[in-house]
Amino acid sequence: MQNHVLDYLEHIVTQKPEKTAFTNGTEALTFAQVRQQSRAVGTFLHDRGVYHEPVVVFMNKHPKEIAAFFGVITGGDFYVPIDEEMPVSRIQLILDNVQARILICDGLTREIAKKFAFDGETVLYDDICRTSADEEALADIRRRAIDTDPIYIVFTSGSTGVPKGVAACHRSVIDYIEQLSAVLEFDEDTVFGNQTPLYFDACLKELYPTLKYGATTYLIPRELFMLPVKLVEYLNEHGINTICWVVSALTMISAFGTFQTVTPRYLRTVAFGSEVFPVKQFAMWRAVLPQAKFVNLYGPTEGTGMCCYYKVERDFGPEEAIPIGGPFPNTEILLLNDQNRRAGQGETGEICIRGTSLTLGYYNNFEKTHEVFVQNPLNTAYPELIYRTGDLGRYNERGELMFVSRKDYQIKHMGHRIELGEIEVSANMEEGVRLSGCIYDDIKGKILLYYVGTVCERELAAALRERLPRYMIPNRLVRLEQMPLTANGKIDRVALKRLAGTFQARSAQ
């Protein structure tokens, strides 16, 4: 049993040293090269006296960035990934929070790094990866390692606008990778197509199983996710057979008629998450890949990654939603009602997680940690933390867990409690709607629905009147050319609220 994530690398490098581990299609690193470079970086950090500390990795998405992550772990430290697509102000908040002494950059990010107020040492990856490995020092670091040592901090958005750094440890990541790999049936022939930025925990689904099995991960260029035909051609060119993508990336392909031109020939596993997959879009994928395995994944960063899964093995009607199913082995989902008791059949409750996959909490933020990592209210006998996700769910008549909405998407409107997610599901059912996002204007007490598609506002409003009670009908519908998305592919509801403010300003003129 592993107690260190790099046990995966140490094992696989004896089996497949020259196999490609990580590649962007043009540049690649073998498992032997990943190990060699990570040990060089680990030695460099040791020589600088950096141990059990955060190390910022500010590099372009590249196989070398992944080797840098593993190098930080090899040195007994934990990596903090940042990216040039982040606003400089957000990066500065992260740097202020972690107070790292070392920032690793590459030739492309070095100039940008000079804009930061950073008192530590900025080093080039291509320089430090040539450091001669100090085998004795690295062996001593490994001997002292325990499975609750942190290995990374990834930052999520905070409700106050200040990002929160989620710290995960060896134990939670290993538990997650073992359970995820078994459910999705990864093996040495798996060829991953990575979609998510490397500064999100979502990339764990490819990074560590690649080490575990000796698989290969392709880091798909970002620009291809705006070019659906070329994206599918890329999948085919490289024989990619496994993708774990956000829903918006999948619907971008299906909604624009891509399958009429080209289809993904090698895909055998399609895992998806982050948003509810509109059933009509999902049906297009399933029709094109009838033999593939489709799995809906759900989980928060604070639970290391995904905590629930649902293998789609039955048909769904246009009015249905795909369940998030049930928890991974060694994880329990507690669905708690407002009285902190288990929610009954059909009753909506907050999704709470208990188990090894819980992360350590928020770095340098005990106040926020204690708000959501709390004592299990069902256990009054001994200390036991659970994580309150802020997501609402309920069990359907089959005993499958259904995602309902975020707690903060639940509003009180005209005296009624409304789930904004339910309005989105109804809108997404309409033939001419590709994607929708619903927000609430607290000041004016108005429900606003934004959508991308071919149907006009009047037709969509008529369709919603047939599906929803009067009090849930949006007060305004706005068709957009493109839905604003966050960097990890979720609907950017903050941007939608800003858009609403712009419309109000125009109306007032």
Side-chain angles (χ1 to χ4, degrees):
M1 177 66 183
Q2 290 89 1
N3 67 353
H4 195 289
V5 293
L6 295 189
D7 288 344
Y8 293 132
L9 177 58
E10 294 302 324
H11 170 74
I12 206 63
V13 81
T14 66
Q15 309 295 311
K16 304 174 184 295
E18 300 310 315
K19 185 178 179 182
T20 295
F22 304 100
T23 176
N24 57 13
T26 54
E27 298 177 272
L29 291 178
T30 65
F31 288 103
Q33 289 171 323
V34 169
R35 182 179 186 274
Q36 180 269 318
Q37 292 187 22
S38 63
R39 294 179 77 74
V41 172
T43 298
F44 170 83
L45 294 172
H46 167 76
D47 291 346
R48 285 294 196 278
V50 177
Y51 176 67
H52 264 266
E53 296 181 35
V55 175
V56 176
V57 178
F58 179 42
M59 298 173 64
N60 274 272
K61 190 175 184 179
H62 189 280
K64 289 179 180 178
E65 183 179 11
I66 299 171
F69 294 166
F70 298 154
V72 172
I73 299 170
T74 301
D77 299 297
F78 37 103
Y79 61 90
V80 184
I82 60 176
D83 190 277
E84 63 177 332
E85 69 180 37
M86 293 178 174
V88 172
S89 58
R90 179 180 173 84
I91 292 175
Q92 192 60 57
L93 288 170
I94 292 171
L95 295 177
D96 293 345
N97 177 278
V98 299
Q99 293 292 307
R101 291 197 285 151
I102 299 287
L103 185 151
I104 302 173
C105 64
D106 58 31
L108 296 171
T109 59
R110 177 167 47 180
E111 288 305 309
I112 303 171
K114 292 177 182 178
K115 300 177 183 177
F116 310 147
F118 177 67
D119 295 331
E121 181 182 6
T122 300
V123 298
L124 271 175
Y125 179 83
D126 283 345
D127 291 341
I128 67 174
C129 74
R130 297 190 182 96
T131 307
S132 296
D134 185 333
E135 300 297 338
E136 185 177 343
L138 296 180
D140 183 57
I141 290 170
R142 180 64 69 89
R143 273 194 301 271
R144 286 185 281 162
I146 60 174
D147 65 1
T148 53
D149 288 339
I151 61 172
Y152 67 73
I153 305 172
V154 295
F155 279 79
T156 64
S157 297
S159 57
T160 60
V162 178
K164 297 176 295 187
V166 180
C169 66
H170 292 275
R171 183 166 66 185
S172 66
V173 171
I174 289 169
D175 181 74
Y176 172 51
I177 295 308
E178 292 295 319
Q179 311 306 342
L180 178 80
S181 298
V183 166
L184 296 184
E185 302 176 85
F186 301 147
D187 58 32
E188 63 183 87
D189 297 320
T190 297
V191 182
F192 290 106
N194 162 269
Q195 169 257 323
T196 56
L198 298 183
Y199 60 89
F200 286 115
D201 62 296
C203 68
L204 296 176
K205 291 191 287 292
E206 294 104 9
L207 267 55
Y208 292 97
T210 292
L211 300 187
K212 176 177 169 63
Y213 292 101
T216 296
T217 289
Y218 279 84
L219 303 176
I220 301 175
R222 289 170 181 159
E223 59 270 18
L224 289 185
F225 286 93
M226 300 300 292
L227 305 167
V229 171
K230 290 187 180 299
L231 174 57
V232 176
E233 289 174 345
Y234 185 96
L235 299 180
N236 289 339
E237 178 187 354
H238 299 292
I240 291 168
N241 57 35
T242 302
I243 57 176
C244 306
W245 288 2
V246 296
V247 167
S248 58
L250 296 170
T251 57
M252 187 271 298
I253 292 174
S254 56
F256 286 93
T258 307
F259 293 145
Q260 296 169 20
T261 303
V262 61
T263 59
R265 297 196 302 272
Y266 302 100
L267 282 184
R268 66 187 190 194
T269 300
V270 180
F272 52 92
S274 78
E275 301 277 353
V276 176
F277 204 154
V279 168
K280 69 175 183 289
Q281 298 294 335
F282 172 74
M284 294 180 193
W285 275 89
R286 206 172 182 198
V288 168
L289 298 169
Q291 304 304 316
K293 176 167 64 261
F294 288 89
V295 185
N296 189 13
L297 298 174
Y298 161 84
T301 300
E302 289 84 350
T304 301
M306 301 302 182
C307 63
C308 287
Y309 70 98
Y310 179 78
K311 293 182 178 180
V312 185
E313 295 171 342
R314 62 181 170 92
D315 294 328
F316 287 85
E319 75 289 348
E320 293 184 275
I322 300 171
I324 58 176
F328 284 113
N330 202 39
T331 296
E332 184 182 10
I333 296 299
L334 305 178
L335 198 62
L336 300 180
N337 61 22
D338 292 341
Q339 290 74 48
N340 272 335
R341 299 191 183 97
R342 288 186 189 271
Q345 177 64 38
E347 182 185 1
T348 296
E350 183 177 4
I351 299 172
C352 301
I353 308 170
R354 65 180 288 264
T356 304
S357 62
L358 288 194
T359 55
L360 301 172
Y362 302 123
Y363 193 74
N364 272 341
N365 197 335
F366 285 97
E367 181 182 353
K368 289 293 182 186
T369 298
H370 295 324
E371 286 179 11
V372 289
F373 290 86
V374 301
Q375 172 64 27
N376 179 0
L378 305 181
N379 174 9
T380 59
Y382 58 87
E384 179 190 33
L385 291 183
I386 63 170
Y387 172 67
R388 304 194 73 118
T389 66
D391 291 335
L392 299 174
R394 62 174 175 79
Y395 287 101
N396 64 16
E397 63 281 355
R398 295 170 179 257
E400 301 158 341
L401 186 59
M402 306 293 297
F403 175 82
V404 174
S405 74
R406 284 287 302 167
K407 240 182 170 181
D408 44 17
Y409 297 166
Q410 190 181 73
I411 63 167
K412 199 75 173 290
H413 179 64
M414 296 172 61
H416 298 274
R417 193 171 294 281
I418 296 172
E419 308 289 352
L420 295 178
E422 189 176 340
I423 299 174
E424 293 175 0
V425 169
S426 295
N428 290 337
M429 287 165 54
E430 186 62 20
E431 188 62 36
V433 174
R434 290 201 294 268
L435 190 63
S436 68
C438 195
I439 63 168
Y440 189 64
D441 184 336
D442 299 285
I443 297 172
K444 294 198 171 184
K446 303 289 186 184
I447 298 173
L448 308 176
L449 180 73
Y450 296 89
Y451 71 97
V452 177
T454 56
V455 65
C456 71
E457 285 96 334
R458 183 179 298 174
E459 291 172 351
L460 180 55
L464 291 176
R465 280 195 292 270
E466 292 182 7
R467 295 190 184 115
L468 296 170
R470 179 184 295 180
Y471 61 84
M472 291 182 70
I473 302 296
N475 301 101
R476 180 167 187 174
L477 285 79
V478 181
R479 182 166 60 174
L480 303 173
E481 287 297 315
Q482 191 173 340
M483 184 66 68
L485 302 174
T486 63
N488 61 341
K490 296 184 179 182
I491 294 171
D492 191 339
R493 298 173 201 279
V494 174
L496 290 181
K497 288 218 169 190
R498 283 200 298 267
L499 203 56
T502 303
F503 285 136
Q504 288 169 10
R506 287 177 187 161
S507 301
Q509 290 174 355

PDB file of all heavy atoms in Angstrom, residues 10-37:
ATOM      1  N   GLU A  10       8.028   5.622  -8.834  1.00  0.00           N
ATOM      2  CA  GLU A  10       9.171   4.746  -8.560  1.00  0.00           C
ATOM      3  C   GLU A  10       8.930   3.338  -9.102  1.00  0.00           C
ATOM      4  O   GLU A  10       9.857   2.675  -9.574  1.00  0.00           O
ATOM      5  CB  GLU A  10       9.441   4.697  -7.051  1.00  0.00           C
ATOM      6  CG  GLU A  10       9.901   6.014  -6.450  1.00  0.00           C
ATOM      7  CD  GLU A  10      11.169   6.539  -7.098  1.00  0.00           C
ATOM      8  OE1 GLU A  10      12.041   5.727  -7.469  1.00  0.00           O
ATOM      9  OE2 GLU A  10      11.290   7.769  -7.246  1.00  0.00           O
ATOM     10  N   HIS A  11       7.689   2.883  -9.025  1.00  0.00           N
ATOM     11  CA  HIS A  11       7.377   1.542  -9.526  1.00  0.00           C
ATOM     12  C   HIS A  11       7.359   1.516 -11.052  1.00  0.00           C
ATOM     13  O   HIS A  11       7.987   0.653 -11.676  1.00  0.00           O
ATOM     14  CB  HIS A  11       6.024   1.075  -8.984  1.00  0.00           C
ATOM     15  CG  HIS A  11       5.542  -0.187  -9.637  1.00  0.00           C
ATOM     16  ND1 HIS A  11       6.099  -1.425  -9.360  1.00  0.00           N
ATOM     17  CD2 HIS A  11       4.574  -0.403 -10.588  1.00  0.00           C
ATOM     18  CE1 HIS A  11       5.503  -2.354 -10.095  1.00  0.00           C
ATOM     19  NE2 HIS A  11       4.568  -1.762 -10.844  1.00  0.00           N
ATOM     20  N   ILE A  12       6.659   2.462 -11.655  1.00  0.00           N
ATOM     21  CA  ILE A  12       6.448   2.383 -13.112  1.00  0.00           C
ATOM     22  C   ILE A  12       7.737   2.633 -13.875  1.00  0.00           C
ATOM     23  O   ILE A  12       7.923   2.119 -14.985  1.00  0.00           O
ATOM     24  CB  ILE A  12       5.325   3.348 -13.562  1.00  0.00           C
ATOM     25  CG1 ILE A  12       4.684   2.835 -14.863  1.00  0.00           C
ATOM     26  CG2 ILE A  12       5.841   4.763 -13.746  1.00  0.00           C
ATOM     27  CD1 ILE A  12       3.987   1.511 -14.754  1.00  0.00           C
ATOM     28  N   VAL A  13       8.662   3.389 -13.301  1.00  0.00           N
ATOM     29  CA  VAL A  13       9.896   3.683 -14.021  1.00  0.00           C
ATOM     30  C   VAL A  13      10.755   2.420 -14.149  1.00  0.00           C
ATOM     31  O   VAL A  13      11.615   2.328 -15.046  1.00  0.00           O
ATOM     32  CB  VAL A  13      10.665   4.835 -13.344  1.00  0.00           C
ATOM     33  CG1 VAL A  13      11.474   4.327 -12.143  1.00  0.00           C
ATOM     34  CG2 VAL A  13      11.561   5.568 -14.341  1.00  0.00           C
ATOM     35  N   THR A  14      10.528   1.436 -13.290  1.00  0.00           N
ATOM     36  CA  THR A  14      11.238   0.154 -13.431  1.00  0.00           C
ATOM     37  C   THR A  14      10.587  -0.726 -14.491  1.00  0.00           C
ATOM     38  O   THR A  14      11.216  -1.663 -14.989  1.00  0.00           O
ATOM     39  CB  THR A  14      11.258  -0.619 -12.099  1.00  0.00           C
ATOM     40  OG1 THR A  14       9.918  -1.004 -11.745  1.00  0.00           O
ATOM     41  CG2 THR A  14      11.848   0.216 -10.984  1.00  0.00           C
ATOM     42  N   GLN A  15       9.328  -0.438 -14.817  1.00  0.00           N
ATOM     43  CA  GLN A  15       8.587  -1.254 -15.781  1.00  0.00           C
ATOM     44  C   GLN A  15       8.618  -0.667 -17.192  1.00  0.00           C
ATOM     45  O   GLN A  15       8.762  -1.380 -18.172  1.00  0.00           O
ATOM     46  CB  GLN A  15       7.115  -1.384 -15.334  1.00  0.00           C
ATOM     47  CG  GLN A  15       6.914  -1.836 -13.901  1.00  0.00           C
ATOM     48  CD  GLN A  15       7.409  -3.242 -13.669  1.00  0.00           C
ATOM     49  OE1 GLN A  15       7.079  -4.145 -14.431  1.00  0.00           O
ATOM     50  NE2 GLN A  15       8.195  -3.433 -12.629  1.00  0.00           N
ATOM     51  N   LYS A  16       8.438   0.645 -17.312  1.00  0.00           N
ATOM     52  CA  LYS A  16       8.293   1.284 -18.623  1.00  0.00           C
ATOM     53  C   LYS A  16       9.086   2.596 -18.681  1.00  0.00           C
ATOM     54  O   LYS A  16       8.515   3.656 -18.927  1.00  0.00           O
ATOM     55  CB  LYS A  16       6.808   1.585 -18.900  1.00  0.00           C
ATOM     56  CG  LYS A  16       5.874   0.373 -18.817  1.00  0.00           C
ATOM     57  CD  LYS A  16       4.412   0.796 -18.953  1.00  0.00           C
ATOM     58  CE  LYS A  16       3.474  -0.362 -18.767  1.00  0.00           C
ATOM     59  NZ  LYS A  16       3.604  -1.386 -19.809  1.00  0.00           N
ATOM     60  N   PRO A  17      10.391   2.538 -18.458  1.00  0.00           N
ATOM     61  CA  PRO A  17      11.158   3.789 -18.362  1.00  0.00           C
ATOM     62  C   PRO A  17      11.107   4.649 -19.619  1.00  0.00           C
ATOM     63  O   PRO A  17      11.096   5.872 -19.529  1.00  0.00           O
ATOM     64  CB  PRO A  17      12.586   3.303 -18.082  1.00  0.00           C
ATOM     65  CG  PRO A  17      12.619   1.889 -18.572  1.00  0.00           C
ATOM     66  CD  PRO A  17      11.253   1.349 -18.312  1.00  0.00           C
ATOM     67  N   GLU A  18      11.043   4.038 -20.804  1.00  0.00           N
ATOM     68  CA  GLU A  18      11.124   4.806 -22.046  1.00  0.00           C
ATOM     69  C   GLU A  18       9.764   5.108 -22.666  1.00  0.00           C
ATOM     70  O   GLU A  18       9.694   5.707 -23.744  1.00  0.00           O
ATOM     71  CB  GLU A  18      11.999   4.051 -23.066  1.00  0.00           C
ATOM     72  CG  GLU A  18      13.430   3.822 -22.594  1.00  0.00           C
ATOM     73  CD  GLU A  18      14.092   5.093 -22.083  1.00  0.00           C
ATOM     74  OE1 GLU A  18      13.970   6.147 -22.758  1.00  0.00           O
ATOM     75  OE2 GLU A  18      14.734   5.046 -21.010  1.00  0.00           O
ATOM     76  N   LYS A  19       8.680   4.699 -22.000  1.00  0.00           N
ATOM     77  CA  LYS A  19       7.362   5.006 -22.538  1.00  0.00           C
ATOM     78  C   LYS A  19       7.033   6.481 -22.302  1.00  0.00           C
ATOM     79  O   LYS A  19       7.387   7.044 -21.257  1.00  0.00           O
ATOM     80  CB  LYS A  19       6.295   4.120 -21.886  1.00  0.00           C
ATOM     81  CG  LYS A  19       4.905   4.316 -22.490  1.00  0.00           C
ATOM     82  CD  LYS A  19       3.852   3.409 -21.869  1.00  0.00           C
ATOM     83  CE  LYS A  19       2.488   3.679 -22.505  1.00  0.00           C
ATOM     84  NZ  LYS A  19       1.403   2.874 -21.911  1.00  0.00           N
ATOM     85  N   THR A  20       6.332   7.092 -23.254  1.00  0.00           N
ATOM     86  CA  THR A  20       5.919   8.488 -23.082  1.00  0.00           C
ATOM     87  C   THR A  20       4.901   8.588 -21.953  1.00  0.00           C
ATOM     88  O   THR A  20       3.880   7.894 -21.958  1.00  0.00           O
ATOM     89  CB  THR A  20       5.297   9.035 -24.379  1.00  0.00           C
ATOM     90  OG1 THR A  20       6.315   9.074 -25.393  1.00  0.00           O
ATOM     91  CG2 THR A  20       4.733  10.427 -24.170  1.00  0.00           C
ATOM     92  N   ALA A  21       5.187   9.457 -21.018  1.00  0.00           N
ATOM     93  CA  ALA A  21       4.277   9.685 -19.893  1.00  0.00           C
ATOM     94  C   ALA A  21       3.367  10.867 -20.187  1.00  0.00           C
ATOM     95  O   ALA A  21       2.138  10.755 -20.168  1.00  0.00           O
ATOM     96  CB  ALA A  21       5.069   9.922 -18.612  1.00  0.00           C
ATOM     97  N   PHE A  22       3.967  12.014 -20.478  1.00  0.00           N
ATOM     98  CA  PHE A  22       3.216  13.243 -20.703  1.00  0.00           C
ATOM     99  C   PHE A  22       3.718  13.923 -21.978  1.00  0.00           C
ATOM    100  O   PHE A  22       4.927  14.032 -22.191  1.00  0.00           O
ATOM    101  CB  PHE A  22       3.364  14.192 -19.508  1.00  0.00           C
ATOM    102  CG  PHE A  22       2.949  13.577 -18.203  1.00  0.00           C
ATOM    103  CD1 PHE A  22       3.905  13.087 -17.313  1.00  0.00           C
ATOM    104  CD2 PHE A  22       1.605  13.446 -17.874  1.00  0.00           C
ATOM    105  CE1 PHE A  22       3.525  12.501 -16.112  1.00  0.00           C
ATOM    106  CE2 PHE A  22       1.217  12.855 -16.690  1.00  0.00           C
ATOM    107  CZ  PHE A  22       2.172  12.384 -15.805  1.00  0.00           C
ATOM    108  N   THR A  23       2.789  14.387 -22.799  1.00  0.00           N
ATOM    109  CA  THR A  23       3.154  15.020 -24.060  1.00  0.00           C
ATOM    110  C   THR A  23       2.096  16.036 -24.448  1.00  0.00           C
ATOM    111  O   THR A  23       0.936  15.929 -24.038  1.00  0.00           O
ATOM    112  CB  THR A  23       3.307  13.973 -25.182  1.00  0.00           C
ATOM    113  OG1 THR A  23       3.574  14.630 -26.424  1.00  0.00           O
ATOM    114  CG2 THR A  23       2.041  13.130 -25.330  1.00  0.00           C
ATOM    115  N   ASN A  24       2.505  17.042 -25.218  1.00  0.00           N
ATOM    116  CA  ASN A  24       1.528  17.983 -25.778  1.00  0.00           C
ATOM    117  C   ASN A  24       1.336  17.746 -27.268  1.00  0.00           C
ATOM    118  O   ASN A  24       0.734  18.565 -27.963  1.00  0.00           O
ATOM    119  CB  ASN A  24       1.945  19.431 -25.505  1.00  0.00           C
ATOM    120  CG  ASN A  24       3.322  19.756 -26.059  1.00  0.00           C
ATOM    121  OD1 ASN A  24       3.883  19.002 -26.857  1.00  0.00           O
ATOM    122  ND2 ASN A  24       3.874  20.879 -25.637  1.00  0.00           N
ATOM    123  N   GLY A  25       1.857  16.629 -27.749  1.00  0.00           N
ATOM    124  CA  GLY A  25       1.736  16.285 -29.158  1.00  0.00           C
ATOM    125  C   GLY A  25       2.987  16.587 -29.940  1.00  0.00           C
ATOM    126  O   GLY A  25       3.220  16.005 -31.000  1.00  0.00           O
ATOM    127  N   THR A  26       3.807  17.492 -29.412  1.00  0.00           N
ATOM    128  CA  THR A  26       5.070  17.821 -30.079  1.00  0.00           C
ATOM    129  C   THR A  26       6.268  17.584 -29.171  1.00  0.00           C
ATOM    130  O   THR A  26       7.310  17.121 -29.624  1.00  0.00           O
ATOM    131  CB  THR A  26       5.078  19.287 -30.556  1.00  0.00           C
ATOM    132  OG1 THR A  26       4.779  20.143 -29.446  1.00  0.00           O
ATOM    133  CG2 THR A  26       4.044  19.516 -31.650  1.00  0.00           C
ATOM    134  N   GLU A  27       6.125  17.891 -27.881  1.00  0.00           N
ATOM    135  CA  GLU A  27       7.203  17.654 -26.917  1.00  0.00           C
ATOM    136  C   GLU A  27       6.711  16.683 -25.853  1.00  0.00           C
ATOM    137  O   GLU A  27       5.542  16.745 -25.437  1.00  0.00           O
ATOM    138  CB  GLU A  27       7.639  18.966 -26.263  1.00  0.00           C
ATOM    139  CG  GLU A  27       8.205  19.968 -27.264  1.00  0.00           C
ATOM    140  CD  GLU A  27       8.564  21.297 -26.602  1.00  0.00           C
ATOM    141  OE1 GLU A  27       7.686  22.164 -26.512  1.00  0.00           O
ATOM    142  OE2 GLU A  27       9.726  21.437 -26.166  1.00  0.00           O
ATOM    143  N   ALA A  28       7.591  15.790 -25.421  1.00  0.00           N
ATOM    144  CA  ALA A  28       7.156  14.730 -24.510  1.00  0.00           C
ATOM    145  C   ALA A  28       8.233  14.430 -23.475  1.00  0.00           C
ATOM    146  O   ALA A  28       9.417  14.743 -23.663  1.00  0.00           O
ATOM    147  CB  ALA A  28       6.831  13.461 -25.303  1.00  0.00           C
ATOM    148  N   LEU A  29       7.802  13.830 -22.375  1.00  0.00           N
ATOM    149  CA  LEU A  29       8.711  13.308 -21.365  1.00  0.00           C
ATOM    150  C   LEU A  29       8.371  11.847 -21.119  1.00  0.00           C
ATOM    151  O   LEU A  29       7.203  11.489 -20.970  1.00  0.00           O
ATOM    152  CB  LEU A  29       8.579  14.083 -20.048  1.00  0.00           C
ATOM    153  CG  LEU A  29       9.076  15.529 -20.006  1.00  0.00           C
ATOM    154  CD1 LEU A  29       8.811  16.138 -18.632  1.00  0.00           C
ATOM    155  CD2 LEU A  29      10.564  15.617 -20.350  1.00  0.00           C
ATOM    156  N   THR A  30       9.399  11.003 -21.087  1.00  0.00           N
ATOM    157  CA  THR A  30       9.213   9.606 -20.707  1.00  0.00           C
ATOM    158  C   THR A  30       9.155   9.505 -19.187  1.00  0.00           C
ATOM    159  O   THR A  30       9.465  10.466 -18.473  1.00  0.00           O
ATOM    160  CB  THR A  30      10.360   8.732 -21.218  1.00  0.00           C
ATOM    161  OG1 THR A  30      11.570   9.143 -20.543  1.00  0.00           O
ATOM    162  CG2 THR A  30      10.536   8.876 -22.729  1.00  0.00           C
ATOM    163  N   PHE A  31       8.778   8.324 -18.693  1.00  0.00           N
ATOM    164  CA  PHE A  31       8.747   8.140 -17.237  1.00  0.00           C
ATOM    165  C   PHE A  31      10.131   8.316 -16.639  1.00  0.00           C
ATOM    166  O   PHE A  31      10.279   8.892 -15.553  1.00  0.00           O
ATOM    167  CB  PHE A  31       8.164   6.771 -16.884  1.00  0.00           C
ATOM    168  CG  PHE A  31       6.683   6.677 -17.131  1.00  0.00           C
ATOM    169  CD1 PHE A  31       6.190   6.010 -18.243  1.00  0.00           C
ATOM    170  CD2 PHE A  31       5.783   7.293 -16.266  1.00  0.00           C
ATOM    171  CE1 PHE A  31       4.831   5.943 -18.487  1.00  0.00           C
ATOM    172  CE2 PHE A  31       4.423   7.238 -16.506  1.00  0.00           C
ATOM    173  CZ  PHE A  31       3.938   6.563 -17.619  1.00  0.00           C
ATOM    174  N   ALA A  32      11.160   7.831 -17.345  1.00  0.00           N
ATOM    175  CA  ALA A  32      12.528   7.990 -16.838  1.00  0.00           C
ATOM    176  C   ALA A  32      12.910   9.462 -16.770  1.00  0.00           C
ATOM    177  O   ALA A  32      13.545   9.916 -15.804  1.00  0.00           O
ATOM    178  CB  ALA A  32      13.509   7.226 -17.728  1.00  0.00           C
ATOM    179  N   GLN A  33      12.527  10.243 -17.774  1.00  0.00           N
ATOM    180  CA  GLN A  33      12.838  11.673 -17.776  1.00  0.00           C
ATOM    181  C   GLN A  33      12.074  12.418 -16.686  1.00  0.00           C
ATOM    182  O   GLN A  33      12.619  13.321 -16.041  1.00  0.00           O
ATOM    183  CB  GLN A  33      12.517  12.268 -19.149  1.00  0.00           C
ATOM    184  CG  GLN A  33      13.472  11.828 -20.240  1.00  0.00           C
ATOM    185  CD  GLN A  33      13.008  12.259 -21.622  1.00  0.00           C
ATOM    186  OE1 GLN A  33      11.804  12.250 -21.908  1.00  0.00           O
ATOM    187  NE2 GLN A  33      13.954  12.621 -22.481  1.00  0.00           N
ATOM    188  N   VAL A  34      10.814  12.040 -16.472  1.00  0.00           N
ATOM    189  CA  VAL A  34      10.031  12.654 -15.400  1.00  0.00           C
ATOM    190  C   VAL A  34      10.716  12.409 -14.059  1.00  0.00           C
ATOM    191  O   VAL A  34      10.857  13.336 -13.242  1.00  0.00           O
ATOM    192  CB  VAL A  34       8.587  12.098 -15.381  1.00  0.00           C
ATOM    193  CG1 VAL A  34       7.862  12.538 -14.112  1.00  0.00           C
ATOM    194  CG2 VAL A  34       7.819  12.552 -16.608  1.00  0.00           C
ATOM    195  N   ARG A  35      11.156  11.172 -13.842  1.00  0.00           N
ATOM    196  CA  ARG A  35      11.815  10.857 -12.564  1.00  0.00           C
ATOM    197  C   ARG A  35      13.131  11.623 -12.428  1.00  0.00           C
ATOM    198  O   ARG A  35      13.412  12.211 -11.371  1.00  0.00           O
ATOM    199  CB  ARG A  35      12.079   9.357 -12.454  1.00  0.00           C
ATOM    200  CG  ARG A  35      12.727   8.950 -11.128  1.00  0.00           C
ATOM    201  CD  ARG A  35      12.953   7.446 -11.065  1.00  0.00           C
ATOM    202  NE  ARG A  35      13.440   7.040  -9.746  1.00  0.00           N
ATOM    203  CZ  ARG A  35      14.728   7.039  -9.387  1.00  0.00           C
ATOM    204  NH1 ARG A  35      15.661   7.452 -10.250  1.00  0.00           N
ATOM    205  NH2 ARG A  35      15.080   6.646  -8.163  1.00  0.00           N
ATOM    206  N   GLN A  36      13.918  11.636 -13.486  1.00  0.00           N
ATOM    207  CA  GLN A  36      15.219  12.300 -13.420  1.00  0.00           C
ATOM    208  C   GLN A  36      15.053  13.789 -13.141  1.00  0.00           C
ATOM    209  O   GLN A  36      15.725  14.355 -12.269  1.00  0.00           O
ATOM    210  CB  GLN A  36      15.970  12.077 -14.737  1.00  0.00           C
ATOM    211  CG  GLN A  36      17.358  12.739 -14.789  1.00  0.00           C
ATOM    212  CD  GLN A  36      17.305  14.151 -15.347  1.00  0.00           C
ATOM    213  OE1 GLN A  36      16.602  14.431 -16.321  1.00  0.00           O
ATOM    214  NE2 GLN A  36      18.042  15.062 -14.705  1.00  0.00           N
ATOM    215  N   GLN A  37      14.125  14.433 -13.863  1.00  0.00           N
ATOM    216  CA  GLN A  37      13.946  15.873 -13.683  1.00  0.00           C
ATOM    217  C   GLN A  37      13.321  16.201 -12.329  1.00  0.00           C
ATOM    218  O   GLN A  37      13.673  17.203 -11.704  1.00  0.00           O
ATOM    219  CB  GLN A  37      13.098  16.437 -14.828  1.00  0.00           C
ATOM    220  CG  GLN A  37      13.816  16.384 -16.175  1.00  0.00           C
ATOM    221  CD  GLN A  37      13.062  17.080 -17.294  1.00  0.00           C
ATOM    222  OE1 GLN A  37      12.218  17.944 -17.054  1.00  0.00           O
ATOM    223  NE2 GLN A  37      13.357  16.710 -18.534  1.00  0.00           N
TER     224      GLN A  37
END
